[in-house]
Amino acid sequence: MKSSTSLGSLWDTWGITAILVLLLAVAPVLTPDFFSLDNAQSVLRESAYLGIVAAGMTFAVASGAFDLSVGGQLALCSVVSLIGFAAGGTVLAIVAALATGLACGLLNASLITRLSVPPFVATLGTLFVFRGLSYILTQDGPKTLPYDQIGSPFVKIGGLNVAGVPVPFVIMVGVFAAAWLLLRRTATGRRVLAYGSSPEAARFCGISANRLRLFVFALVGVSVGIATLTYITRVWTADGSAQDGFELKVIAAVVLGGTSLKGGKATLIGTFSAVLLISVLNDMLVSEGVPSAYQRIVLGGVLIVALTIDGLRTRFAAPGSLRRALSGGRTPQPGPAR
Amino acid sequence: MADSSTPALLRVDGLTVEFPGVRALDGVHFDVAAGEVHALVGENGAGKSTLLKVLGGLHQPSAGTIGLAERPYRPRRPADATHAGIAVIYQEFNLYPDLTVAENVFSGREPFHRFHRGIRYAEINRRAAELFATLGVRIDPTAPVSSLTVSEQQLVEIAKALSVGGRIIVMDEPTAALSADEVTRLLDVVRRLRAEGRSVVYVSHRLDEVFAVADRVTVLRDGRHVRTTALADTSPDELVRLMVGRDVSAMFHRDDVAGGDVVLELDQVSAGRQLRDVSIVVRAGEIVGIGGVAGAGQPELSQVIFGALPVKSGRMLLSGADYRPKGPDDAMKAGIGFLHEDRKAAGILPDLSVRHNLTVSVLDKVRGLFGRLLSPAGELGVFDTFRKRLAIRTTGPDQLIGQLSGGNQQKVLFGRALAPGGRLLILNEPTRGVDIGAKVEIHHLINEITADGAGVVMISSDLPELLGISDRVYVLAAGRIVGHLTGDDRTEENVMRCATTGQRVFSATVSG
């Protein structure tokens, strides 16, 4: 029998972290002021909103599905949060962001569980719906944080440091810690993994597919709500086009981290490292003066590499695993109904 | 119709088919005359399906010859069989549900229009209608196949076989999913095919059909040819004896366990597609076997008890109290464990460790700190308990379950089923796909479980196992209980008679 701590499982959890460490080692050579306080803070601050959503998305991918609507959710949460801030200050802005995220997640969940729409299709649809709503709410121009409110606690979230560490990064670390506990130390987290590993077997372990999906998609929504707090207080403005293509960046980070698109296997440590890797890579490209069009190409390359690694990892898995991932764990009925 | 003077159209001699570790067919001979209906019978695993797949070009034999009209026949792919005029209709149909009936019948051989290269729909619709007319049935050639009933889909397969000029039509369990009326209609179609001079190989578990339609019958057992005889020269009882005919191996051991209070009672329960008016009783400390041919409703019965299938009518009682599970989680909370018949697809959680595979049924009971978080020590404790009790051979709790042997995987799943409390266990095919050593261990284990006071419902298609370790046996046929065998009535002959002829056998007294 093979040892359970084989090289393969070590790579699954720590591979991407090793690559991140390598990248950090060569970063100062390419970018001399990489480890300057300013630059380091900027990288960490920039990684927060991607990381927080990626933590939530890790659960969706672990359950064998993914949420394509997070880009639309982020735009809508941002716009609603800015409207909330204009109407009622810090508290309303925070409540608006979290409530909008939760509402988006619950809408996705009910489409998937009540109407039996596959997650891929349901969230592709709501991606357009959420972006459309954001555009409607910003018809008379993008919503912005007014400069005269710079002293407000809400506006400070994005720029403040605690002992030199940016607050958004602190929030992200907190979210990952909570997510790790949820995944590894609660019955719900275990059920997510069980369901992602084999939906049919999970059913006979007393795991309700609908309850589980409701939880997972609501969780993704809430993670977007939290991410909005760090995002909008950094960019100060939002409309329907905010963070175009965000959903693929998030899924790229999750898969790059080592969570299998097939479901059943997840690593939050990997997701965390992959998010930092993407942020560091971005920062290096920016400081080298690489035009943003090329940055997109690099992200695309990273995504392909990530999916190739996932493909190699699951090459020996059952055929149809990709189709299963796309349809969110439902195995299609073979042949005519009998 | 078919006597020894008629030259055989199809002749199989010394056919042997080997799979890794198994000899599915061992020197089988078999022949079919022109214009004959030849039935092929035998228990599950006797080799009928393998023989069919050889004829259909899906399996290649390791030894033996097949002759078709005095010429060697060596199909290497299904198309070879079609070209030779042999059409095999498998239990799983080969139809495209979204295409029309006519498109399916002529799929791959559609006549195209000379100018615009489109399919000549008028022609295929007309020709399909003609084929159905010769079969004496009416099916709309333009209807999508997905809108047809199972029996109509079967007729589409038969029409497809006729359209390629099939001389020999092979049907694998054609009536398994048909109602009584549909069976009558299908048997008429088979007789029409024979009247046209075609040959039919008819594989069925149901001996009444075999006697109604076939000219000769060949019995297979454990991959070997037992006998070929004209139906006129035999009886259902003799066929049953020939199909079973082997010693119940001494390896099956059942401790004497006194039955206790009634744990589970089903009262006229109907559920799913075919389970109808099922009433059974299971006592504490008792192993109750459920027998029957494949597809008689065994999975439905086990799932309705586990709450995975809703009750349509009737009621269930657990220790005398009303039992209405909304889902498997309710069943598990009541201390019921479940073992699925398909270990690979619906048993193991392949990405999880052996420990997590086992404790997934008791996650609510291994909470530690703050009452919300799982306790790793608690989980390890549960795992260690069952590892010792079930003698699970693993390198450690974190080994992936896929790395264990089939028998050890099964023991982990036994642990999962026992962990919720061991009040009642529903075991589907508990020893399927495990080696002989593990099989004995598992039987021993089931004995121990009942000694601890659990009631066991065991569904098994392995007759010696079913009879060897069950205290009582219910026999299911077409979703109904057709037999209840206790004491000396628990014989393979009785089970097969109930299961295949629909004859009802109920033992007089219920022994504990």
Side-chain angles (χ1 to χ4, degrees), chain A:
Chain A
M1 283 289 120
K2 283 162 268 182
S3 157
S4 54
T5 50
S6 63
L7 212 59
S9 71
L10 264 179
W11 167 260
D12 279 356
T13 313
W14 295 104
I16 198 67
T17 311
I19 293 174
L20 175 66
V21 169
L22 269 176
L23 191 66
L24 289 177
V26 297
V29 181
L30 300 173
T31 317
D33 66 341
F34 181 81
F35 281 115
S36 72
L37 188 64
D38 245 19
N39 195 58
Q41 284 178 340
S42 154
V43 170
L44 296 183
R45 204 174 286 127
E46 192 61 44
S47 63
Y49 64 93
L50 177 65
I52 293 166
V53 179
M57 185 72 84
T58 302
F59 285 81
V61 176
S63 79
F66 39 67
D67 186 339
L68 285 178
S69 72
V70 289
Q73 291 186 37
L74 186 68
L76 189 58
C77 288
S78 299
V79 170
V80 175
S81 173
L82 290 175
I83 293 171
F85 184 72
T90 298
V91 174
L92 197 57
I94 293 175
V95 170
L98 297 181
T100 307
L102 180 63
C104 291
L106 289 176
L107 176 69
N108 280 332
S110 46
L111 286 176
I112 292 161
T113 58
R114 306 235 166 168
L115 303 181
S116 300
V117 185
F120 180 83
V121 179
T123 58
L124 183 61
T126 54
L127 168 63
F128 289 103
V129 172
F130 296 150
R131 281 211 183 276
L133 286 173
S134 314
Y135 276 118
I136 290 169
L137 292 174
T138 55
Q139 263 168 339
D140 45 2
K143 300 288 173 200
T144 52
L145 284 176
Y147 279 100
D148 56 2
Q149 294 291 334
I150 198 147
S152 146
F154 182 63
V155 181
K156 276 185 174 167
I157 294 174
L160 209 65
N161 298 319
V162 178
V165 183
V167 167
F169 184 70
V170 173
I171 297 176
M172 169 174 152
V173 170
V175 165
F176 267 92
W180 187 87
L181 272 181
L182 184 58
L183 186 68
R184 298 288 170 206
R185 289 283 181 273
T186 69
T188 307
R190 184 69 52 73
R191 290 185 178 122
V192 168
L193 291 171
Y195 181 80
S197 188
S198 172
E200 191 60 11
R203 186 161 89 88
F204 291 101
C205 297
I207 296 169
S208 152
N210 279 352
R211 233 179 292 161
L212 189 120
R213 287 168 166 218
L214 183 76
F215 171 79
V216 164
F217 284 91
L219 184 72
V220 173
V222 169
S223 76
V224 176
I226 298 171
T228 301
L229 306 179
T230 70
Y231 170 73
I232 199 62
T233 55
R234 174 141 173 80
V235 300
W236 287 51
T237 175
D239 65 7
S241 68
Q243 282 293 311
D244 195 24
F246 181 61
E247 52 282 338
L248 296 183
K249 217 164 145 185
V250 172
I251 294 169
V254 172
V255 175
L256 188 64
T259 296
S260 162
L261 263 186
K262 197 168 67 72
K265 271 187 223 164
T267 157
L268 284 158
I269 296 165
T271 302
F272 187 86
S273 298
V275 166
L276 287 183
L277 183 84
I278 290 174
S279 300
V280 168
L281 215 54
N282 246 346
D283 179 74
M284 288 168 67
L285 294 171
V286 171
S287 47
E288 287 302 305
V290 177
S292 70
Y294 292 92
Q295 292 172 28
R296 282 170 180 262
I297 293 176
V298 171
L299 177 64
V302 168
L303 179 61
I304 291 169
V305 170
L307 287 169
T308 309
I309 293 171
D310 188 56
L312 289 176
R313 203 183 277 134
T314 57
R315 186 165 50 177
F316 300 105
S321 58
L322 181 64
R323 190 172 43 182
R324 204 166 67 101
L326 290 179
S327 63
R330 277 158 199 279
T331 0
Q333 289 293 315
R338 301 212 55 189

Side-chain angles (χ1 to χ4, degrees), chain B residues 161-485:
Chain B
L162 296 186
S163 76
V164 296
R167 287 182 288 179
I168 300 178
I169 294 162
V170 183
M171 301 183 191
D172 190 6
E173 297 283 355
T175 57
L178 303 192
S179 69
D181 289 350
E182 291 167 339
V183 170
T184 313
R185 191 167 63 157
L186 181 81
L187 295 184
D188 280 342
V189 168
V190 171
R191 291 190 192 99
R192 270 174 190 263
L193 294 173
R194 174 172 57 195
E196 286 193 356
R198 298 180 208 265
S199 305
V200 176
V201 177
Y202 193 88
V203 177
S204 182
H205 277 300
R206 300 193 186 169
L207 294 184
D208 45 345
E209 291 165 17
V210 169
F211 276 89
V213 78
D215 302 304
R216 284 193 300 160
V217 59
T218 289
V219 181
L220 295 182
R221 185 171 73 223
D222 297 334
R224 291 200 179 82
H225 177 266
V226 176
R227 187 188 294 176
T228 298
T229 172
L231 262 309
D233 300 336
T234 184
S235 66
D237 279 349
E238 186 187 25
L239 285 188
V240 167
R241 261 201 310 282
L242 291 171
M243 280 155 70
V244 173
R246 97 191 107 167
D247 299 335
V248 177
S249 151
M251 60 175 274
F252 299 102
H253 167 74
R254 173 65 179 141
D255 298 332
D256 277 331
V257 176
D261 298 335
V262 171
V263 180
L264 175 78
E265 189 176 349
L266 265 64
D267 182 18
Q268 300 282 314
V269 169
S270 299
R273 200 168 46 81
Q274 60 171 349
L275 208 62
R276 290 291 168 273
D277 302 328
V278 167
S279 299
I280 64 169
V281 171
V282 182
R283 290 186 173 75
E286 197 181 35
I287 302 175
V288 172
I290 308 285
V293 300
Q298 296 91 330
E300 284 97 332
L301 177 56
S302 68
Q303 290 182 18
V304 78
I305 300 171
F306 194 54
L309 192 69
V311 174
K312 272 191 196 150
S313 64
R315 61 179 197 146
M316 300 196 284
L317 299 166
L318 198 63
S319 300
D322 243 358
Y323 168 58
R324 291 200 189 101
K326 285 196 206 68
D329 47 338
D330 284 347
M332 284 158 54
K333 275 185 203 123
I336 299 177
F338 183 87
L339 191 68
H340 198 279
E341 68 269 21
D342 192 340
R343 181 170 65 238
K344 208 168 164 193
I348 61 167
L349 299 163
D351 300 304
L352 271 57
S353 64
V354 286
R355 166 174 42 158
H356 293 168
N357 260 282
L358 201 154
T359 57
V360 70
S361 60
V362 285
L363 290 176
D364 293 323
K365 293 181 189 164
V366 287
R367 294 197 169 156
L369 224 52
F370 316 123
R372 295 294 306 166
L373 298 186
L374 295 175
S375 146
E379 283 197 73
L380 212 53
V382 171
F383 175 73
D384 273 341
T385 307
F386 284 101
R387 172 161 65 174
K388 285 197 195 92
R389 183 164 166 203
L390 311 182
I392 299 168
R393 278 178 289 276
T394 166
T395 59
D398 295 322
Q399 190 178 19
L400 287 180
I401 190 160
Q403 296 174 348
L404 301 188
S405 70
N408 276 296
Q409 288 182 12
Q410 196 75 332
K411 288 190 204 164
V412 173
L413 300 186
F414 255 89
R416 184 197 285 171
L418 275 173
R423 184 181 191 182
L424 175 71
L425 256 74
I426 306 157
L427 307 176
N428 281 293
E429 307 291 350
T431 60
R432 178 177 282 176
V434 308
D435 62 46
I436 197 78
K439 192 169 175 172
V440 173
E441 279 186 78
I442 287 172
H443 288 159
H444 191 68
L445 188 65
I446 298 174
N447 266 308
E448 275 182 14
I449 293 167
T450 54
D452 292 345
V456 169
V457 178
M458 184 182 73
I459 291 153
S460 177
S461 56
D462 180 339
L463 270 182
E465 166 176 284
L466 184 74
L467 296 165
I469 70 168
S470 305
D471 299 310
R472 293 185 288 127
V473 174
Y474 289 100
V475 183
L476 268 177
R480 292 170 191 275
I481 299 282
V482 293
H484 178 219
L485 310 172

